Amino acid sequence: MDREVKTYVLKRPVEEAVPRKLSIDYAAALNQQQLAAVSAGAGPSLVIAGAGSGKTRTLVYRVAYLIDSGIDPSNILLLTFTRKSAQEMLARAGDLIGARSQRVCGGTFHSVANLLLRRYGRSVGVEPGFTILDRGDAEDLIALVRSQLGLNEKDKRFPRKGTIMEMISKSENTLRSLDEILLEEFSHFADHAEDLGRLHKAYQSAKRQKQLLDYDDLLVMLRQLLLMDEAARMAISSQYRYILVDEYQDTNRLQAEVIRRLATTHNNVTVVGDDSQSIYAFRGATFKNIMEFPVLFPGTTIYKLEENYRSTQPILDLANCVIDEAAEKYTKRLFTRKIDGPLPALVEAAGENAQSRFIAQKILELREEGVPLSEVAVLFRSSFHSFDLEIELSRKGLPFIKRGGVKFIETAHVKDLLAHVRVVANPLDTVSWHRVLMLVEGVGPKKAQDLLAAIMKAERPSDVLRGVSGRSGQGLKNLANTLESLAGSDDRHPAEHVNHIYEYYLPILKEQYDDYPKRTRDLDHLHTIAEGYHGIDEFLADLALEPPDGSAVGVETPDRDDERLVLSTIHSAKGLEWQCVFVIWVVDGRFPSAYSFLTDDELEEERRLFYVAVTRAKRHLFMTYPINVYDKASGMLLSKPSRFLDHVSSDLLDTIALVEEGGREDWGTPRYQDY
């Protein structure tokens, strides 16, 4: 028979007053700031670890120190954002302290939540045998529930399953209502607020009935367990008497709340992070967590790691100056023993392609000076900022790998638009024809093939398209009108082709992609690139230098990443370092983005992103900005260097203006000519 089970907490013996003899010479292995953080006593600790200051080393030694001091390893909980990070830290701790480190509980927030819910979850309705849904399964369940509620039949387009999942996830991880998320980030679906609320409730009910938990539910239910079941909370907190958290600046509200509840019996929490590198608000992370830690945990001791082991002092002087202007921060001054090094360079280019050509030329010079390609990175705020550069690097035969976003030619919406341009340029291009036809409502694979066969035989493809009736008839007529208006216009500027097709394609874009507002910016940039060409053939030829199989360049490409330079969004570059770093589009309106001008919080996050970018460089740092660039999305003419450099003294920078060989009069020459 079922009986109510009560818990009785056995108190642990008081630790001996006589200090244990430590097996490691911590003072010899660590600098003074690291040593203070590693050897901290009981209670909450906040370790502000500046860029390149040995954050991971400090955490590893903290784990070793606790074990070395007599703490039972099973009482230590190490929380990280990736399983790999936890494994590597514990392996390094094992090298220091031996096999005892294997008994430390280390893993991601979600893996620890999974462990605890299977052990204690019954009190909140979670059975030990629950199933975890991956993202794909969760989206499929949303689609099923959506269909059951009849929300697929609405005249007005309803969000796709992936978009709905994103809304729900953001709501749960930020502890905000679905309505708030909808209005702030998905306002183009605001008319569906009531139906989305019904769908959310039905989705949650379906999961509970079938003992299913999606990825976010692991933390949601753990928080609920810690709030509602006092006995479980006390037992868990007593088990994990020392909690260490990596990259605390990247936590969201839900994760911070879980940490606070886990520490309810002791407050022995050590969090390590850098407020100046809090850059993941778009994922739900909040800068406020690290700033408010001393409030959540009264009596917090703050430790600062300021000695940088990565960069030269001139680079750190710039970084310090940029972050000094932050509205809210933990004040710190990065310093290094690498005193000498070239000043960071601020490079003015007369246009985007001049920027691209400078970078390609400079990389070739650096390679001649002995800097390998693997030690060079080009960083940018948004993926589309590198589109022109990708073309230029391909022309110069410089192999690269891109991280964060997809390469220009691989984005579906860019491929869509370019397919129309290619059909105009070459009516025999069957691959592009097929892509274009499949975008028309009512045209499936079979119909596309039939139409394609007829088009290849016809003298005028537009006649074939206009001869179709039924559901696809009007769409094909619109396509015919668009293509016919551009046919035979070889003298027309490529930008005109792109603009004309864009007007036709925009309704399709809105129908195909829930995130179309973001994708329109990419197409605006494609228009800007097209403006650099005089002929449609040259425009398409340069874009085709990147093959569709995803290889980095149109020449023989090495298989190993270490033989290529890196193109990366700044978000994807966090935690990495290179001998030479180029930061591109350092122009007001792009970095910071014009969209960030609306709120102080967004602008401050942009500042921190800038700080992360410049602190990736070990020795060489080039910041480039094109001038006289019209930004279609914001309606701004961009010419001014980033406002984040306004307060940087001129003696901290080398200021360079690019000039064309032979004089500045050649600035407007199309890129496809040889220089």
Side-chain angles (χ1 to χ4, degrees):
M1 68 186 250
D2 292 337
R3 298 179 184 271
E4 183 183 357
V5 178
K6 299 180 179 179
T7 60
Y8 183 88
V9 179
L10 294 175
K11 295 182 179 178
R12 295 182 175 274
V14 177
E15 268 102 2
E16 298 177 1
V18 179
R20 292 170 60 95
K21 185 174 180 179
L22 301 175
S23 63
I24 300 170
D25 188 349
Y26 295 91
L30 305 166
N31 66 40
Q32 288 187 348
Q33 293 178 327
Q34 292 170 335
L35 179 62
V38 164
S39 59
S45 298
L46 170 59
V47 183
I48 302 297
S53 63
K55 167 184 70 67
T56 302
R57 182 179 183 84
T58 302
L59 261 177
V60 168
Y61 272 85
R62 175 64 175 168
V63 172
Y65 181 85
L66 289 173
I67 298 171
D68 213 7
S69 302
I71 304 300
D72 187 332
S74 66
N75 293 147
I76 302 172
L77 174 62
L78 173 63
L79 292 171
T80 62
F81 277 87
T82 67
R83 181 180 296 178
K84 185 180 177 183
S85 294
Q87 290 172 340
E88 288 179 350
M89 286 187 199
L90 293 179
R92 288 173 60 178
D95 292 338
L96 296 173
I97 204 71
R100 288 175 291 172
S101 67
Q102 295 175 7
R103 293 169 54 212
V104 172
C105 180
T108 65
F109 283 85
H110 295 87
S111 67
V112 171
N114 174 54
L115 174 74
L116 295 175
L117 285 172
R118 293 192 189 280
R119 190 177 300 169
Y120 299 101
R122 273 203 172 104
S123 65
V124 288
V126 178
E127 294 295 324
F130 67 82
T131 299
I132 300 174
L133 297 172
D134 63 23
R135 182 67 178 238
D137 291 337
E139 290 181 5
D140 288 344
L141 180 57
I142 283 175
L144 177 62
V145 173
R146 182 180 61 184
S147 180
Q148 290 170 346
L149 294 176
L151 297 174
N152 284 337
E153 309 303 322
K154 300 185 72 71
D155 295 332
K156 209 170 176 183
R157 186 168 64 86
F158 201 73
R160 290 174 172 81
K161 59 185 182 181
T163 305
I164 299 169
M165 188 74 243
E166 188 179 348
M167 295 176 188
I168 293 172
S169 180
K170 183 67 71 74
S171 168
E172 290 176 340
N173 282 290
T174 60
L175 302 182
R176 294 156 65 205
S177 71
L178 187 63
D179 283 346
E180 284 184 77
I181 301 298
L182 183 62
L183 290 173
E184 289 183 18
E185 301 187 31
F186 301 88
S187 56
H188 48 296
F189 292 122
D191 291 347
H192 299 297
E194 185 178 341
D195 287 334
L196 284 167
R198 286 199 299 128
L199 175 57
H200 186 202
K201 289 178 182 176
Y203 171 61
Q204 301 289 38
S205 177
K207 287 186 295 181
R208 300 295 173 264
Q209 289 172 8
K210 298 173 176 133
Q211 285 295 305
L212 304 172
L213 270 68
D214 63 30
Y215 196 61
D216 296 319
D217 285 332
L218 292 169
L219 288 184
V220 169
M221 297 310 295
L222 176 59
R223 173 179 179 261
Q224 191 173 332
L225 171 70
L226 296 171
L227 283 169
M228 297 180 62
D229 188 337
E230 184 177 1
R233 183 174 70 251
M234 299 296 285
I236 295 168
S237 185
S238 298
Q239 172 66 47
Y240 300 120
R241 295 165 54 225
Y242 293 87
I243 300 172
L244 291 80
V245 186
D246 188 24
E247 302 285 10
Y248 189 73
Q249 79 282 343
D250 295 335
T251 54
N252 57 44
R253 286 296 194 193
L254 178 57
Q255 290 163 331
E257 176 73 2
V258 166
I259 293 165
R260 187 165 72 89
R261 299 291 175 183
L262 286 172
T264 191
T265 65
H266 51 73
N267 281 350
N268 293 328
V269 181
T270 299
V271 301
V272 182
D274 185 3
D275 55 297
S276 300
Q277 299 187 67
S278 179
I279 59 174
Y280 293 114
F282 68 95
R283 292 182 186 170
T286 173
F287 170 76
K288 297 296 183 183
N289 278 352
I290 196 166
M291 301 308 298
E292 295 171 358
F293 184 84
V295 178
L296 286 175
F297 292 91
T300 292
T301 303
I302 300 175
Y303 302 91
K304 296 179 182 178
L305 309 184
E306 296 172 298
E307 183 172 355
N308 178 285
Y309 295 92
R310 174 185 300 152
S311 307
T312 60
Q313 194 60 52
I315 292 172
L316 297 183
D317 289 341
L318 170 66
N320 287 331
C321 193
V322 168
I323 209 64
D324 277 349
E325 296 300 315
E328 191 177 4
K329 61 185 179 294
Y330 290 104
T331 302
K332 58 183 179 294
R333 299 292 295 178
L334 294 181
F335 68 92
T336 182
R337 301 179 193 186
K338 302 175 184 177
I339 304 299
D340 298 324
L343 288 175
L346 179 62
V347 182
E348 177 191 293
E352 181 177 18
N353 189 243
Q355 172 182 253
S356 299
R357 286 184 291 133
F358 163 72
I359 293 167
Q361 184 173 315
K362 196 67 187 177
I363 290 172
L364 290 169
E365 291 173 4
L366 287 165
R367 191 164 66 172
E368 290 297 313
E369 294 170 12
V371 179
L373 285 183
S374 59
E375 281 292 331
V376 179
V378 183
L379 307 183
F380 32 85
R381 187 197 167 279
S382 301
S383 182
F384 74 87
H385 288 177
S386 70
F387 289 171
D388 187 86
L389 177 62
E390 291 170 41
I391 297 168
E392 191 64 34
L393 293 174
S394 296
R395 290 184 68 246
K396 290 291 193 293
L398 286 166
F400 64 88
I401 183 169
K402 187 172 182 181
R403 298 173 180 157
V406 295
K407 290 194 282 292
F408 173 48
I409 204 66
E410 294 173 352
T411 55
H413 47 296
V414 171
K415 280 185 163 184
D416 288 347
L417 196 146
L418 286 175
H420 293 79
V421 180
R422 291 191 175 106
V423 163
V424 173
N426 177 15
L428 298 178
D429 184 344
T430 56
V431 174
S432 295
W433 263 117
H434 187 268
R435 188 178 190 98
V436 165
L437 292 169
M438 287 293 291
L439 291 170
V440 177
E441 186 179 3
V443 176
K446 177 64 169 60
K447 191 161 193 173
Q449 289 293 337
D450 293 342
L451 285 168
L452 191 55
I455 287 169
M456 291 299 105
K457 296 176 182 177
E459 187 175 336
R460 289 165 50 93
S462 57
D463 292 342
V464 175
L465 300 178
R466 289 197 177 94
V468 178
S469 58
R471 189 159 70 95
S472 62
Q474 188 56 53
L476 290 170
K477 287 182 177 66
N478 293 339
L479 173 62
N481 293 336
T482 300
L483 298 180
E484 197 169 53
S485 66
L486 293 170
S489 55
D490 294 339
D491 58 338
R492 186 173 284 184
H493 199 279
E496 292 182 55
H497 279 75
V498 171
N499 192 57
H500 194 71
I501 293 168
Y502 175 83
E503 292 177 2
Y504 159 78
Y505 177 64
L506 185 58
I508 299 173
L509 180 75
K510 291 181 178 181
E511 182 64 30
Q512 293 277 337
Y513 305 104
D514 286 346
D515 62 345
Y516 69 85
K518 296 178 183 177
R519 295 177 186 258
T520 57
R521 297 173 208 168
D522 292 351
L523 298 181
D524 288 341
H525 198 70
L526 178 65
H527 182 270
T528 301
I529 292 174
E531 288 178 331
Y533 293 85
H534 292 323
I536 198 73
D537 292 338
E538 292 83 3
F539 171 63
L540 292 173
D542 271 5
L543 292 178
L545 286 174
E546 296 198 84
D549 63 2
S551 66
V553 293
V555 296
E556 186 176 350
T557 305
D559 292 329
R560 295 182 0 216
D561 290 356
D562 61 0
E563 296 180 8
R564 314 180 200 179
L565 66 101
V566 172
L567 307 186
S568 176
T569 61
I570 301 166
H571 289 98
S572 297
K574 187 172 171 289
L576 304 176
E577 58 186 38
W578 295 270
Q579 283 290 339
C580 178
V581 169
F582 297 86
V583 186
I584 64 174
W585 280 105
V586 184
V587 63
D588 223 45
R590 284 286 175 85
F591 200 179
S593 162
Y595 297 98
S596 70
F597 298 169
L598 300 174
T599 69
D600 291 341
D601 285 350
E602 289 186 28
L603 194 58
E604 286 297 290
E605 175 131 336
E606 293 276 301
R607 179 183 299 279
R608 297 192 295 272
L609 192 64
F610 192 94
Y611 173 86
V612 169
V614 301
T615 54
R616 300 309 94 196
K618 297 180 185 177
R619 183 169 180 83
H620 301 282
L621 174 63
F622 299 91
M623 299 169 291
T624 63
Y625 70 102
I627 61 173
N628 298 321
V629 175
Y630 178 70
D631 185 66
K632 189 175 178 182
S634 64
M636 298 169 56
L637 184 66
L638 309 180
S639 284
K640 178 182 174 294
S642 173
R643 62 187 64 194
F644 300 143
L645 297 172
D646 286 351
H647 295 88
V648 175
S649 170
S650 59
D651 61 357
L652 297 182
L653 290 171
D654 270 340
T655 305
I656 300 170
L658 302 180
V659 296
E660 295 282 353
E661 193 172 25
R664 295 184 69 94
E665 66 270 17
D666 296 333
W667 278 122
T669 308
R671 82 187 73 204
Y672 53 82
Q673 293 192 8
D674 292 325
Y675 291 94

